[in-house]
């Protein structure tokens, strides 16, 4: 597979004090312990996702993720500020499902929005309920049919007259669709935060459960077990602590958005479940072959295509005073908050991306923890710190 970029003439002004080292990630183990390991993992998974998809699909069908990270501008820059990093001058695929880097960036941005919305809802005196909907599935259920069934059943259920009383109290809803995979097939489910004007009673919860079971059966799937098909919890920070402890962060929005943080599990010799990204992580051991892992990844790619992961009901953001931000704008550092910038000419970055991508990953992981000089040692480039003039930045900030 050829990941080479088309060459473009460099329009950048010559950079001074350029110091390109040839050190690689593995040359500098002493720092790697403190760099953020999740970033390196995401780079590795993105690389493999690109390879698997390129290898399996004809070139005309290659998705945008194949080009994610490619240089776009004459200058490419890694930007850092207080535990945050962003890139300018490169392509972002914005695939929340298949690109671990874009997914983390977008999910983190959406997580903050949800947290903001949740806080605002408390000021309005609303209640918030965290509700999870699942559908029964087996190894023979394709992701297309279980995910399609989940989405259609949800739409159908909303029209049921038995839920009139419930929905009359609903001011808005945030839905987050999530997909896990395991020995019993793909497990799509939907987490929702229902914001309501008043409390939801036992009767309404039980109507919700029956309505869900009915809608799922209508979609041709097996009848969900009423105790697990729908799980309702009041979303006070204390009340949902069981959910949140899974990801060890006491924030209501994390369960909704950060499926990329969850870890795979293997029970016994044949039972396992994990996040789809774990399929491409060689450090996550699973009792299936590499070929099976790639096959599942392709099914996941096909099945999640075009499905929106996180959605707010119409008008809810306005009611809660939360602004609209496009996926591609999330996570971008603004020029005035940038503390440090490591930049490369297009061709130089291109070579690194092709031959030493994990040096770039390591640089980003070091930038995340404020080790700017060490990042430069690993990946070269020109380093500009905040006490140096940054006004001549040629690349666009993303
Ligand atoms: Zn991407």
């Amino acid at each position: 597979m050829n990941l080479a970029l088309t060459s473009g003439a460099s329009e950048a002004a010559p950079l001074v004090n350029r110091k390109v080292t040839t050190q690689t990630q593995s040359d500098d183990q002493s720092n790697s312990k403190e760099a953020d390991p999740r970033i390196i993992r995401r780079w590795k998974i993105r690389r493999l996702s690109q390879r698997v998809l390129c290898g399996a699909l004809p070139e005309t069908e290659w998705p945008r993720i194949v080009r994610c990270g490619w240089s776009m501008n004459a200058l490419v820059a890694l930007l850092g500020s207080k535990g945050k990093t962003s890139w300018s001058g490169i392509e972002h695929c914005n695939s929340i499902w298949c690109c671990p880097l874009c997914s983390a960036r977008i999910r983190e941005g959406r997580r903050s929005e949800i947290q903001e919305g949740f806080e605002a809802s408390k000021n309005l005196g609303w209640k918030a309920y965290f509700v999870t909907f699942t559908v029964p599935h087996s190894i023979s259920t394709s992701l297309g049919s279980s995910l399609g069934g989940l989405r259609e059943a949800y739409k159908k259920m909303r029209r049921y007259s038995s839920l009139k009383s419930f929905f009359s109290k609903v001011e808005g809803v945030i839905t987050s669709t999530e997909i896990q995979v395991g020995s019993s097939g793909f497990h799509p489910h939907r987490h929702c935060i229902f914001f309501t004007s008043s409390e939801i009673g036992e009767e309404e919860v039980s109507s919700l459960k029956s309505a869900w079971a009915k809608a799922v059966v209508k979609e041709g799937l097996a009848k969900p077990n009423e105790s697990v098909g729908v799980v309702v919890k009041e979303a006070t920070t204390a009340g949902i602590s069981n959910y949140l402890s899974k990801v060890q962060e006491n924030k209501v929005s994390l369960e909704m958005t950060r499926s990329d943080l969850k870890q795979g599990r293997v029970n016994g010799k044949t039972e396992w479940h994990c996040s789809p990204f774990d399929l491409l992580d060689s450090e996550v051991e699973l009792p299936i072959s590499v070929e099976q892992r790639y096959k599942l990844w392709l099914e996941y790619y096909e099945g999640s295509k075009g499905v929106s992961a996180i959605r707010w009901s119409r008008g809810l953001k306005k009611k809660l005073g939360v602004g609209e931000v496009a996926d591609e704008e999330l996570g971008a550092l603004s020029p005035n908050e940038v503390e440090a910038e490591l930049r490369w000419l297009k061709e130089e970055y291109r070579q690194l991306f092709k031959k030493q991508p994990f040096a770039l990953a390591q640089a980003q992981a070091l930038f995340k923890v404020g080790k700017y000089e060490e990042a430069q040692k690993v990946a070269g480039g020109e380093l500009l710190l905040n006490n140096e003039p940054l006004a001549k930045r040629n690349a666009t900030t993303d």
Side-chain angles (χ1 to χ4, degrees), residues 46 65 68 92-95 99 101-102:
R46 180 178 68 180
I65 183 183
C68 190
H92 286 123
C93 71
N94 297 313
S95 166
C99 174
L101 284 152
C102 291

Side-chain angles (χ1 to χ4, degrees), residues 23-39:
Q23 260 179 312
T24 61
Q25 178 190 340
S26 54
D27 292 333
D28 208 354
Q29 289 296 336
S30 58
N31 294 321
S32 67
K33 283 186 199 100
E34 289 158 306
D36 187 337
R38 292 174 304 175
I39 291 176

Side-chain angles (χ1 to χ4, degrees), residues 66-285:
V66 166
R67 295 193 309 273
C68 190
W70 288 15
S71 53
M72 258 182 1
N73 298 354
L75 270 182
V76 171
L78 168 61
L79 311 172
S81 174
K82 297 178 186 69
K84 288 197 274 181
T85 59
S86 73
W87 288 89
S88 71
I90 61 161
E91 295 227 21
H92 286 123
C93 71
N94 297 313
S95 166
I96 198 166
W97 298 109
C98 292
C99 174
L101 284 152
C102 291
S103 179
R105 178 176 54 78
I106 295 168
R107 285 181 184 278
E108 177 54 28
R110 297 297 175 219
R111 187 193 66 73
S112 318
E113 278 183 345
I114 294 173
Q115 189 64 33
E116 192 187 328
F118 181 68
E119 299 300 334
S121 78
K122 285 199 281 190
N123 296 336
L124 291 174
W126 290 358
K127 296 273 175 193
Y129 292 89
F130 188 85
V131 183
T132 303
F133 297 93
T134 58
V135 291
H137 59 94
S138 73
I139 189 75
S140 59
T141 321
S142 71
L143 175 61
S145 64
S146 57
L147 181 57
L150 176 90
R151 296 169 72 211
E152 288 306 314
Y154 184 82
K155 272 192 220 159
K156 202 164 259 164
M157 176 194 78
R158 297 208 56 161
R159 296 195 293 266
Y160 287 171
S161 57
S162 60
L163 294 183
K164 237 181 172 166
S165 156
F166 173 72
F167 280 113
S168 69
K169 293 179 180 173
V170 174
E171 294 282 348
V173 56
I174 306 174
T175 58
S176 166
T177 304
E178 197 179 296
I179 301 168
Q180 295 267 304
V181 59
S183 41
S184 46
F186 282 97
H187 171 52
H189 49 288
R190 182 166 274 188
H191 298 299
C192 299
I193 296 181
F194 285 101
F195 292 102
T196 63
S197 50
S198 57
E199 215 156 284
I200 298 302
E202 280 299 315
E203 229 167 81
E204 284 152 330
V205 170
S206 104
S207 316
L208 194 60
K209 290 182 174 183
S210 324
W212 179 246
K214 184 173 143 194
V216 169
V217 171
K218 282 253 161 130
E219 282 308 310
L221 297 168
K223 189 178 178 195
N225 175 329
E226 285 205 9
S227 63
V228 295
V230 179
V231 176
V232 182
K233 288 171 192 273
E234 192 175 343
T236 60
T237 28
I240 55 162
S241 58
N242 284 347
Y243 268 102
L244 301 171
S245 60
K246 272 203 259 179
V247 282
Q248 296 178 351
E249 194 170 328
N250 192 22
K251 292 207 169 148
V252 67
S253 48
L254 206 56
E255 176 72 17
M256 291 282 288
T257 54
R258 297 306 305 268
S259 60
D260 56 317
L261 295 179
K262 291 168 197 167
Q263 285 291 315
R265 299 243 185 295
V266 178
N267 305 320
K269 278 191 180 140
T270 52
E271 263 186 53
W272 58 277
H273 71 268
C274 65
S275 87
F277 287 135
D278 289 334
L279 292 170
L280 299 187
D281 183 348
S282 56
E283 284 171 29
V284 175
E285 283 182 30

